[in-house]
Amino acid sequence: MTASRAGLLGIVVLAASLLTGEGFAAPDRDKLLNDPGVYGTFAAYRFTDDWARKEGATRIALLTVLKGVVEQHREKVVIDLYLLRGLSDHADIMFRVHANDLRDIQRFLVDLQSSAFGKQTQVAGIMHGLSKKANYVPAFPEDIKGNLKAASDPGPKPYVVVIPIRKSAEWWALDQQTRTAMMKEHTEAALPYITTVKRKLYHSTGLDDMDFITYFETSKLEDFHSLILSLEKVKEFQYTRRFGYPTWLGTAIGLDEIIEILAQ
Amino acid sequence: MTASRAGLLGIVVLAASLLTGEGFAAPDRDKLLNDPGVYGTFAAYRFTDDWARKEGATRIALLTVLKGVVEQHREKVVIDLYLLRGLSDHADIMFRVHANDLRDIQRFLVDLQSSAFGKQTQVAGIMHGLSKKANYVPAFPEDIKGNLKAASDPGPKPYVVVIPIRKSAEWWALDQQTRTAMMKEHTEAALPYITTVKRKLYHSTGLDDMDFITYFETSKLEDFHSLILSLEKVKEFQYTRRFGYPTWLGTAIGLDEIIEILAQ
Amino acid sequence: MTASRAGLLGIVVLAASLLTGEGFAAPDRDKLLNDPGVYGTFAAYRFTDDWARKEGATRIALLTVLKGVVEQHREKVVIDLYLLRGLSDHADIMFRVHANDLRDIQRFLVDLQSSAFGKQTQVAGIMHGLSKKANYVPAFPEDIKGNLKAASDPGPKPYVVVIPIRKSAEWWALDQQTRTAMMKEHTEAALPYITTVKRKLYHSTGLDDMDFITYFETSKLEDFHSLILSLEKVKEFQYTRRFGYPTWLGTAIGLDEIIEILAQ
Amino acid sequence: MTASRAGLLGIVVLAASLLTGEGFAAPDRDKLLNDPGVYGTFAAYRFTDDWARKEGATRIALLTVLKGVVEQHREKVVIDLYLLRGLSDHADIMFRVHANDLRDIQRFLVDLQSSAFGKQTQVAGIMHGLSKKANYVPAFPEDIKGNLKAASDPGPKPYVVVIPIRKSAEWWALDQQTRTAMMKEHTEAALPYITTVKRKLYHSTGLDDMDFITYFETSKLEDFHSLILSLEKVKEFQYTRRFGYPTWLGTAIGLDEIIEILAQ
Amino acid sequence: MTASRAGLLGIVVLAASLLTGEGFAAPDRDKLLNDPGVYGTFAAYRFTDDWARKEGATRIALLTVLKGVVEQHREKVVIDLYLLRGLSDHADIMFRVHANDLRDIQRFLVDLQSSAFGKQTQVAGIMHGLSKKANYVPAFPEDIKGNLKAASDPGPKPYVVVIPIRKSAEWWALDQQTRTAMMKEHTEAALPYITTVKRKLYHSTGLDDMDFITYFETSKLEDFHSLILSLEKVKEFQYTRRFGYPTWLGTAIGLDEIIEILAQ
């Protein structure tokens, strides 16, 4: 069994680089992650009790199935995988999936759930959002605009946090100018952390029970904590009706590492 | 097994056109979908773990049972079927059922749940509403009334969203004139999306833990997002106590496609 | 099996008339349903997955057990049975049980849950209330008092709705006169529906997490919807802190019909 | 089996009087139930589906195990047992346990849950409180103090209700004199029921998600309902943020009766 | 079996002192528990129904696996183990884990959950926080600073309570001076309990759905209750939006004792 496990593991590791952030070769990954009008879905799963009872070799075989499903859809969707186990309450893994058409994301997740791998999982939660052009930044002073262009610190950002947000009706009732003034204060509070905490905003109004999904990557979790604390102190935060529930905290580690961990 | 599967599939595909939106031949579909005084029930189900363990051929056989139950009731109820899996949290499929008498809907759903197919599912949620004549529109200016008659864009509208709404006690305490003024503002905010987002309103007060079920169909999900965002900015939204919880997002794809997907 | 099923069915149908609303012969049914100081318990159950797997004959045998338990207790408690399946979220059947002593209701439900039938069910929810003399009516003008005596429309009222209500602390802090004035407005709003929607009020304060259980019977569900909508528009509704959660909607159909349905 | 059942039952009944309220011989029961500084734990359990499938004889054997666990701990903890089944939502039995040291209560409940009996149950809920000297009574006028000493009506009080309460931050921010004035009004509202409804207060702040556990015993459930209704009408009630959720309603019936019922 | 059980028990007891508070030899335990910038994770688990069905010897073998996992990680993380069973609702054991890097905590918990022991458990809840330098104390008068240095009473503190806290947006909107004034009042209210109730604060903003995790150890649970009651009376408490939900109450008893208890 050790031999066959090694064999299976070999195949998997060989293919794994196709998925990891660095080695992913899909031509439009950068475009999908940076363009407006792209859908982003966060789908978290937990393993069934049955998974725990499988032998290591079976689990490796199931993980190659996962890899296969990912391969099948990589022409249309960009897929990132995170390990939530040990850090989040009732979820083990989370997919972040980007595509121009939400139906392509549905097709991937339906295939995933119907696969031999998916049958060992249960949905912990699914949230959808849409990338859009910055709403308030165009009206900001030039110095803030300049500061917002600061490059992120190089190197891996292993921690990932996903926080859904719902604003109050009072927020949306404010005129654009008043909201812009508050978002300027919000942005200024965030600026000190711009190089160590990478942020991405997804607009969810109507698509889900929230207005925004905020996504963060960092290697300095304490900076991330300080960033959120700063954001809770600005006036705009008083117009927040839901913050978290759930907060998903995980780590971005290559598929090969995740396979090693989950094959245990 | 491939042969028998092909055989079963053939039978199913043959019959499937009876159910799909386009091919549905029931005489009163249009009437039931457009008349006031018609009941609309949204019933979402998820598959049991047992379903995942069935072989493809068994699943196809079970799906023909589903088709049979639908056939049996099509004289009294109009049934639409949506795929929620991959887009909504804890539901795989959703039925929208219309009838003049809610008991006919109950009879269909009881038969469905008692069938061999239904035994592989669990109720994710059931919500009821009633279509009614427009309450505020008669008092609107003629130009708005005219704009409201604009035809929907032709072509399929694959995305479907269902959002339950509960108004505050303060809303209902307002006089009709004040509510009409606010609903005029609400309607004006919605007008730009009238051709790309199709809406239908169900009144639920007393029938369920909500006042309205709002149902949307679109091929342009981003327009739908913009529509809801616009509606959150008008004054009437401040009288909303529940919006979503759940939001059901799915796709309207023919029964034959759903069978292909679920038979996997 | 068809034969033995027919046999079992025969026995059941024979006995079923003992339980149905019309045929129930217990001497004090009217008294228990109309007197003050009587306890009313609403107990909803759903079937376990195991139930679905039983054969029809087994299910019929289990339903005769249910009938037996009902028989055993009919000297002390008055029992009504409703079908919630297909109309309510996570419940299949609901019992409404009246008795002068809540312990007699407990004895019935304990026996029910311990029976072979009960072992195939799970509790979906239990709520208790107490019938009391009208609190505000004696202070109403004579014309309203007269109108309240209008007889209900004859004929069956197949739809049943149960809505728990909790008032705010502010409501209870109002003096009796102020509450009476508001309840007069509430009652006037309800009067147009007095012949088509039958109501019964149970007082729950302390007995459960609510102040009232409101119970409705109607054949005109649209009238019931209009009634609740009218009640949401009066001032007294602003003192309501919980309305529904759950709303139980079902149909009152004789035990023999329920057995036919559940035996499928 | 009837014989062996009778035998087992004999043993159990013989020992049961050790536990019932009347026959309990532990030297300090009265002290533990009346002294300040004593911990009171309310632990409710429901039976697993497995329990329902056991034969009567097995269930009786398991109930003798329960009795054995109770025996083992009766030197340190005082144990009362109530039947919630049929009256409360998701619990079948409830233990009320008193001890000077909460660790002794934990030891009993750990042994209970680890026993063959406990393995057939799931925790429905656990709440802790502490008895304390009256906080406001010393400042009350002498006539109220006198009335509070009225003896409870003799005879059994079969109904038991447990209601957790959390006060608002505003309540705790009031000065002692203001709170005393409101508690005087609260107490006066409760006085008419002092002989028919027995009350005991447990202080939970910090020990659990509530400030108080209120425990009631009565044979006149309608009086209990009127008592709570009166208490909801005084000003102090407006400072209540949680009342119930859950409300546990059950009956205090001797262990031998409970065994008879559960052995069915 | 008694012999093999004794043998297994011997091995376990031998190793157990490595984990217990007193005997733990890891060089940086004190540093990790007292330094700022250290992550603290609270992870609670409940046993599956399967655990209850295992024989004592099997459970002891599984507990040695737990010990092994703890051993493997003790160079990077400091682990405390508490018994929640009997005192908290839906959890049996709780780990408090400290490390400089949250990924080391994740690695430990992933290994734990993947181990033969972990497979017998389900996650009841996971919460994360960060130790930080005191925020308000530097601005306090010297006498309070001095009082805060009072040594804790010697001897074991068997009771442990964990309470998550979320402040309102209004709190964070106050300026530092106003918050310092309120925290001074908060601290003065806590001072009388400084020797009998040990406190540790973890900052969670952004890392979880709360702002703080408060952790308490005491041998005098009544003092702890009085402490929280005092804290609820100061003005700062009015800015608390979540307090508990859950409150985890347990006992800190050595691993050897826990093994004895869980092996039953």
Side-chain angles (χ1 to χ4, degrees):
Chain A
M1 202 191 75
T2 353
S4 76
R5 180 180 158 163
L8 277 166
L9 202 56
I11 294 162
V12 177
V13 170
L14 196 73
S17 63
L18 294 167
L19 186 71
T20 54
E22 298 84 346
F24 194 84
D28 53 0
R29 178 183 170 86
D30 279 358
K31 236 179 111 49
L32 281 177
L33 263 77
N34 292 304
D35 277 5
V38 174
Y39 291 90
T41 293
F42 294 84
Y45 299 89
R46 64 177 153 263
F47 290 109
T48 62
D49 291 350
D50 205 33
W51 170 265
R53 277 177 235 120
K54 302 275 180 217
E55 291 209 2
T58 309
R59 266 182 271 150
I60 289 171
L62 291 172
L63 288 162
T64 61
V65 168
L66 161 61
K67 196 198 67 64
V69 176
V70 166
E71 280 296 294
Q72 250 183 302
H73 289 266
R74 57 190 287 266
E75 280 186 31
K76 295 209 170 151
V77 298
V78 165
I79 300 161
D80 292 288
L81 180 55
Y82 308 94
L83 185 69
L84 300 191
R85 179 174 273 207
L87 295 185
S88 291
D89 267 318
H90 298 290
D92 289 311
I93 55 172
M94 178 179 70
F95 294 89
R96 182 175 63 142
V97 194
H98 290 88
N100 285 312
D101 190 333
L102 193 60
R103 274 174 299 177
D104 289 323
I105 295 178
Q106 185 182 32
R107 280 180 200 116
F108 164 61
L109 292 175
V110 163
D111 279 2
L112 181 76
Q113 284 181 235
S114 300
S115 73
F117 173 81
K119 284 167 187 173
Q120 300 295 325
T121 66
Q122 292 171 324
V123 176
I126 298 182
M127 307 191 296
H128 310 283
L130 177 67
S131 64
K132 291 170 72 174
K133 275 188 203 149
N135 188 5
Y136 305 105
V137 172
F140 284 177
E142 288 309 314
D143 59 330
I144 296 187
K145 284 187 199 174
N147 289 333
L148 282 171
K149 284 169 191 153
S152 196
D153 278 358
K157 299 202 164 23
Y159 292 108
V160 167
V161 191
V162 178
I163 301 176
I165 288 172
R166 187 154 211 168
K167 307 302 292 182
S168 66
E170 287 69 31
W171 172 255
W172 296 115
L174 298 172
D175 58 44
Q176 174 81 6
Q177 202 179 333
T178 309
R179 275 185 283 125
T180 300
M182 286 199 222
M183 286 311 291
K184 181 171 160 287
E185 190 197 358
H186 169 109
T187 304
E188 284 168 337
L191 276 178
Y193 307 98
I194 198 163
T195 58
T196 57
V197 183
K198 215 171 138 183
R199 305 167 66 182
K200 188 163 168 59
L201 184 69
Y202 300 83
H203 299 250
S204 295
T205 306
L207 304 177
D208 225 321
D209 291 330
M210 61 209 66
D211 288 310
F212 301 104
I213 304 169
T214 56
Y215 169 89
F216 304 88
E217 285 179 7
T218 191
S219 68
K220 296 193 178 163
L221 206 49
E222 197 165 346
D223 269 25
F224 164 73
H225 162 70
S226 301
L227 164 63
I228 301 299
L229 203 50
S230 293
L231 295 180
E232 292 197 353
K233 289 178 181 168
V234 301
K235 196 160 185 206
E236 168 264 347
F237 185 66
Q238 297 181 45
Y239 295 89
T240 298
R241 188 147 68 102
R242 170 187 175 184
F243 190 86
Y245 296 95
T247 293
W248 279 335
L249 172 63
T251 43
I253 59 180
L255 177 65
D256 49 347
E257 263 192 272
I258 281 193
I259 286 174
E260 281 241 30
I261 287 161
L262 298 180
Q264 281 189 323
Chain B
M1 201 192 76
T2 351
S4 75
R5 181 181 157 163
L8 276 166
L9 203 55
I11 296 162
V12 176
V13 170
L14 196 73
S17 63
L18 295 167
L19 185 71
T20 52
E22 299 83 348
F24 194 83
D28 52 1
R29 180 184 167 85
D30 279 356
K31 235 179 112 50
L32 281 177
L33 262 76
N34 293 303
D35 277 6
V38 175
Y39 291 89
T41 293
F42 295 83
Y45 300 88
R46 65 178 152 263
F47 290 109
T48 62
D49 291 350
D50 205 33
W51 171 265
R53 276 177 237 121
K54 302 274 180 219
E55 292 208 3
T58 310
R59 268 183 270 150
I60 290 171
L62 291 173
L63 289 162
T64 60
V65 168
L66 162 61
K67 196 198 68 63
V69 176
V70 166
E71 280 296 294
Q72 250 184 302
H73 289 266
R74 58 191 287 265
E75 280 185 31
K76 295 209 169 152
V77 298
V78 165
I79 300 161
D80 292 288
L81 179 56
Y82 308 94
L83 185 68
L84 302 192
R85 179 176 274 208
L87 295 184
S88 290
D89 267 319
H90 299 290
D92 290 309
I93 55 172
M94 178 178 72
F95 294 89
R96 183 175 62 141
V97 193
H98 290 89
N100 285 312
D101 190 332
L102 192 60
R103 272 173 301 177
D104 288 322
I105 297 179
Q106 184 181 34
R107 279 178 202 118
F108 164 61
L109 292 175
V110 163
D111 279 2
L112 182 76
Q113 285 181 234
S114 300
S115 74
F117 173 81
K119 284 167 186 172
Q120 299 296 326
T121 66
Q122 291 172 324
V123 176
I126 298 181
M127 306 191 295
H128 310 284
L130 178 68
S131 64
K132 291 168 72 173
K133 275 187 201 149
N135 189 4
Y136 305 105
V137 173
F140 285 176
E142 288 309 315
D143 61 330
I144 297 188
K145 283 188 198 171
N147 288 332
L148 282 171
K149 283 169 193 151
S152 196
D153 278 358
K157 299 203 167 21
Y159 293 108
V160 167
V161 191
V162 179
I163 302 177
I165 288 172
R166 186 154 211 167
K167 307 302 291 181
S168 66
E170 287 68 32
W171 173 254
W172 296 116
L174 297 172
D175 58 44
Q176 174 81 4
Q177 201 179 334
T178 310
R179 275 186 283 125
T180 299
M182 286 200 223
M183 286 311 291
K184 179 171 161 288
E185 190 197 358
H186 169 108
T187 303
E188 284 167 337
L191 275 179
Y193 307 98
I194 198 162
T195 58
T196 57
V197 183
K198 213 171 139 182
R199 305 166 66 183
K200 187 163 169 59
L201 185 69
Y202 301 82
H203 299 251
S204 295
T205 306
L207 304 177
D208 225 320
D209 291 329
M210 61 208 66
D211 287 311
F212 302 103
I213 303 169
T214 57
Y215 168 89
F216 306 87
E217 284 178 8
T218 191
S219 68
K220 296 193 179 164
L221 206 49
E222 198 165 344
D223 270 25
F224 164 72
H225 162 71
S226 300
L227 164 63
I228 302 297
L229 203 51
S230 294
L231 295 180
E232 293 197 353
K233 288 178 182 169
V234 301
K235 196 160 186 207
E236 168 263 346
F237 185 66
Q238 297 180 48
Y239 294 89
T240 298
R241 188 146 69 100
R242 169 187 175 183
F243 191 86
Y245 297 96
T247 293
W248 279 335
L249 173 62
T251 44
I253 58 181
L255 177 64
D256 48 349
E257 263 193 90
I258 282 193
I259 285 173
E260 282 241 30
I261 287 162
L262 298 180
Q264 282 190 322
Chain C
M1 202 193 74
T2 350
S4 75
R5 180 177 158 163
L8 276 166
L9 202 56
I11 295 163
V12 176
V13 171
L14 196 75
S17 62
L18 295 168
L19 185 72
T20 52
E22 300 83 346
F24 193 84
D28 53 3
R29 179 182 168 85
D30 279 357
K31 233 178 115 47
L32 280 177
L33 261 77
N34 292 303
D35 277 5
V38 174
Y39 290 90
T41 293
F42 294 83
Y45 299 87
R46 66 179 150 263
F47 290 109
T48 62
D49 291 351
D50 206 34
W51 171 265
R53 278 178 236 119
K54 302 275 181 219
E55 293 206 3
T58 310
R59 267 184 270 150
I60 290 172
L62 291 173
L63 288 161
T64 59
V65 168
L66 162 61
K67 196 199 68 64
V69 176
V70 166
E71 279 297 296
Q72 247 184 306
H73 289 266
R74 57 190 288 267
E75 282 187 29
K76 294 209 169 152
V77 298
V78 165
I79 299 162
D80 292 287
L81 180 56
Y82 308 94
L83 185 68
L84 302 191
R85 179 175 273 209
L87 294 184
S88 292
D89 266 320
H90 298 292
D92 290 308
I93 54 172
M94 179 178 71
F95 294 90
R96 183 175 63 142
V97 194
H98 290 88
N100 285 312
D101 189 332
L102 192 60
R103 274 173 300 177
D104 288 323
I105 296 178
Q106 184 181 32
R107 278 178 203 119
F108 164 61
L109 293 175
V110 163
D111 278 1
L112 181 75
Q113 285 182 236
S114 301
S115 74
F117 173 81
K119 282 167 188 174
Q120 299 295 326
T121 66
Q122 290 172 323
V123 176
I126 299 180
M127 307 190 294
H128 310 283
L130 177 68
S131 64
K132 291 168 72 172
K133 276 187 201 149
N135 189 4
Y136 304 105
V137 174
F140 285 176
E142 288 309 315
D143 60 330
I144 298 187
K145 283 188 200 174
N147 289 333
L148 283 171
K149 283 172 192 150
S152 197
D153 278 357
K157 299 203 164 21
Y159 293 108
V160 166
V161 191
V162 179
I163 302 177
I165 288 172
R166 186 155 210 167
K167 308 301 292 181
S168 66
E170 287 68 32
W171 173 255
W172 296 116
L174 298 171
D175 59 44
Q176 174 81 6
Q177 201 180 333
T178 310
R179 276 186 282 125
T180 299
M182 287 200 223
M183 287 310 292
K184 179 171 161 288
E185 190 197 356
H186 169 109
T187 303
E188 284 166 337
L191 275 178
Y193 307 99
I194 199 162
T195 57
T196 58
V197 183
K198 211 170 142 183
R199 304 167 68 185
K200 186 162 169 61
L201 184 69
Y202 301 81
H203 300 251
S204 294
T205 306
L207 304 178
D208 225 320
D209 291 330
M210 62 208 66
D211 287 312
F212 301 103
I213 303 169
T214 57
Y215 168 90
F216 304 88
E217 284 178 9
T218 191
S219 67
K220 298 193 176 164
L221 206 49
E222 199 166 345
D223 270 25
F224 165 72
H225 162 71
S226 301
L227 164 64
I228 302 296
L229 204 50
S230 294
L231 295 181
E232 292 198 354
K233 288 179 182 169
V234 302
K235 196 159 186 207
E236 168 263 345
F237 185 65
Q238 297 180 47
Y239 295 89
T240 298
R241 188 148 67 100
R242 169 186 175 183
F243 190 84
Y245 297 97
T247 294
W248 280 334
L249 172 63
T251 43
I253 58 180
L255 178 64
D256 48 349
E257 261 192 273
I258 282 193
I259 285 174
E260 282 242 30
I261 288 162
L262 298 180
Q264 282 190 322
Chain D
M1 203 192 73
T2 352
S4 76
R5 178 179 160 162
L8 276 166
L9 203 57
I11 295 162
V12 176
V13 170
L14 196 74
S17 62
L18 294 167
L19 185 72
T20 52
E22 299 84 347
F24 194 84
D28 52 2
R29 180 182 168 86
D30 280 357
K31 231 177 117 48
L32 280 177
L33 262 78
N34 293 303
D35 277 5
V38 174
Y39 291 90
T41 293
F42 295 82
Y45 299 88
R46 66 178 150 264
F47 290 108
T48 63
D49 291 350
D50 206 35
W51 170 265
R53 278 178 236 121
K54 301 275 179 218
E55 293 207 1
T58 310
R59 266 183 272 150
I60 290 171
L62 291 172
L63 289 162
T64 60
V65 168
L66 162 60
K67 196 199 68 63
V69 176
V70 166
E71 280 297 295
Q72 248 183 304
H73 289 267
R74 58 190 288 266
E75 281 187 29
K76 294 210 168 151
V77 298
V78 165
I79 300 162
D80 293 287
L81 180 56
Y82 308 94
L83 185 69
L84 302 191
R85 179 175 271 208
L87 295 184
S88 291
D89 266 320
H90 298 290
D92 290 309
I93 54 172
M94 178 178 71
F95 293 90
R96 183 174 63 143
V97 193
H98 289 89
N100 286 311
D101 190 333
L102 192 60
R103 274 174 298 178
D104 289 324
I105 296 177
Q106 184 181 33
R107 278 179 203 118
F108 164 61
L109 292 174
V110 163
D111 278 1
L112 181 75
Q113 284 181 236
S114 301
S115 73
F117 173 82
K119 282 167 189 173
Q120 299 295 327
T121 67
Q122 291 172 323
V123 176
I126 299 181
M127 307 190 295
H128 310 284
L130 178 68
S131 64
K132 289 169 72 173
K133 275 186 201 150
N135 188 5
Y136 305 105
V137 174
F140 285 176
E142 289 309 315
D143 60 330
I144 298 187
K145 284 188 200 175
N147 288 333
L148 283 171
K149 284 174 193 148
S152 196
D153 277 359
K157 300 201 163 24
Y159 292 109
V160 166
V161 191
V162 178
I163 302 176
I165 289 171
R166 186 155 208 166
K167 307 303 290 183
S168 66
E170 288 67 34
W171 172 255
W172 296 116
L174 297 172
D175 59 44
Q176 174 79 8
Q177 203 180 333
T178 310
R179 276 185 282 125
T180 299
M182 287 199 221
M183 288 309 294
K184 180 172 161 287
E185 191 197 356
H186 169 109
T187 303
E188 283 167 338
L191 275 178
Y193 307 98
I194 198 161
T195 58
T196 57
V197 183
K198 211 171 142 183
R199 305 167 67 184
K200 186 162 168 62
L201 184 69
Y202 300 82
H203 300 251
S204 293
T205 307
L207 304 177
D208 226 320
D209 291 331
M210 61 209 65
D211 288 313
F212 301 103
I213 303 168
T214 55
Y215 169 91
F216 304 88
E217 286 178 7
T218 191
S219 67
K220 298 192 176 165
L221 206 50
E222 199 167 344
D223 270 25
F224 165 72
H225 163 69
S226 301
L227 163 63
I228 301 296
L229 203 52
S230 294
L231 295 180
E232 291 198 354
K233 288 180 181 169
V234 300
K235 197 162 184 203
E236 168 264 345
F237 185 66
Q238 297 181 47
Y239 294 89
T240 298
R241 187 147 69 100
R242 168 185 176 184
F243 191 85
Y245 296 98
T247 294
W248 279 335
L249 172 62
T251 42
I253 57 179
L255 178 65
D256 48 347
E257 262 193 274
I258 282 192
I259 286 174
E260 283 241 32
I261 288 161
L262 298 180
Q264 281 188 323
Chain E
M1 203 191 74
T2 353
S4 77
R5 179 180 158 161
L8 276 166
L9 202 57
I11 293 162
V12 177
V13 170
L14 196 74
S17 62
L18 294 167
L19 186 72
T20 52
E22 300 84 346
F24 195 85
D28 53 2
R29 179 181 169 88
D30 280 358
K31 234 178 114 48
L32 281 176
L33 262 77
N34 293 303
D35 277 5
V38 174
Y39 291 90
T41 294
F42 294 82
Y45 299 88
R46 65 178 151 263
F47 290 108
T48 62
D49 290 351
D50 205 35
W51 170 265
R53 279 178 236 119
K54 301 274 180 219
E55 292 209 0
T58 309
R59 266 183 271 150
I60 290 172
L62 291 172
L63 289 162
T64 60
V65 168
L66 162 61
K67 195 198 69 62
V69 176
V70 165
E71 280 296 295
Q72 249 183 303
H73 288 267
R74 59 190 287 266
E75 280 186 31
K76 294 209 171 152
V77 298
V78 164
I79 299 161
D80 292 287
L81 179 56
Y82 308 94
L83 185 68
L84 301 191
R85 180 174 271 207
L87 295 185
S88 291
D89 267 320
H90 299 291
D92 289 311
I93 55 173
M94 178 178 70
F95 293 89
R96 182 175 63 143
V97 193
H98 290 89
N100 285 310
D101 191 333
L102 192 60
R103 274 175 298 178
D104 289 323
I105 295 177
Q106 185 182 32
R107 280 180 201 116
F108 164 62
L109 293 174
V110 164
D111 280 2
L112 181 74
Q113 283 181 237
S114 301
S115 73
F117 173 82
K119 282 166 188 173
Q120 300 294 326
T121 66
Q122 291 172 323
V123 175
I126 299 182
M127 308 190 295
H128 309 285
L130 178 68
S131 64
K132 290 169 73 172
K133 275 186 201 151
N135 188 6
Y136 305 105
V137 172
F140 284 177
E142 288 309 313
D143 60 329
I144 297 187
K145 283 188 200 177
N147 288 333
L148 282 171
K149 285 171 192 150
S152 194
D153 278 0
K157 300 202 162 22
Y159 292 109
V160 167
V161 191
V162 178
I163 302 176
I165 289 171
R166 187 154 210 168
K167 307 303 291 182
S168 66
E170 287 67 33
W171 172 254
W172 296 115
L174 298 172
D175 59 43
Q176 174 79 9
Q177 203 179 332
T178 310
R179 276 186 282 124
T180 299
M182 286 199 222
M183 286 310 293
K184 180 172 161 285
E185 191 197 357
H186 170 108
T187 304
E188 284 167 338
L191 275 178
Y193 308 97
I194 198 161
T195 57
T196 57
V197 182
K198 214 171 139 181
R199 306 168 66 185
K200 187 162 167 61
L201 184 69
Y202 300 82
H203 299 251
S204 293
T205 306
L207 303 177
D208 226 320
D209 291 331
M210 60 209 67
D211 287 312
F212 301 103
I213 304 168
T214 55
Y215 168 90
F216 304 88
E217 285 178 7
T218 191
S219 68
K220 297 192 177 163
L221 206 49
E222 198 166 344
D223 270 25
F224 165 72
H225 162 70
S226 301
L227 164 63
I228 301 297
L229 202 51
S230 293
L231 295 181
E232 291 197 354
K233 289 179 181 168
V234 300
K235 196 162 185 205
E236 168 265 345
F237 184 66
Q238 298 181 45
Y239 295 88
T240 297
R241 188 147 68 101
R242 169 185 175 184
F243 191 85
Y245 297 97
T247 293
W248 280 336
L249 173 62
T251 43
I253 58 179
L255 177 65
D256 49 347
E257 262 192 276
I258 282 193
I259 286 174
E260 282 240 31
I261 288 162
L262 298 180
Q264 280 189 325

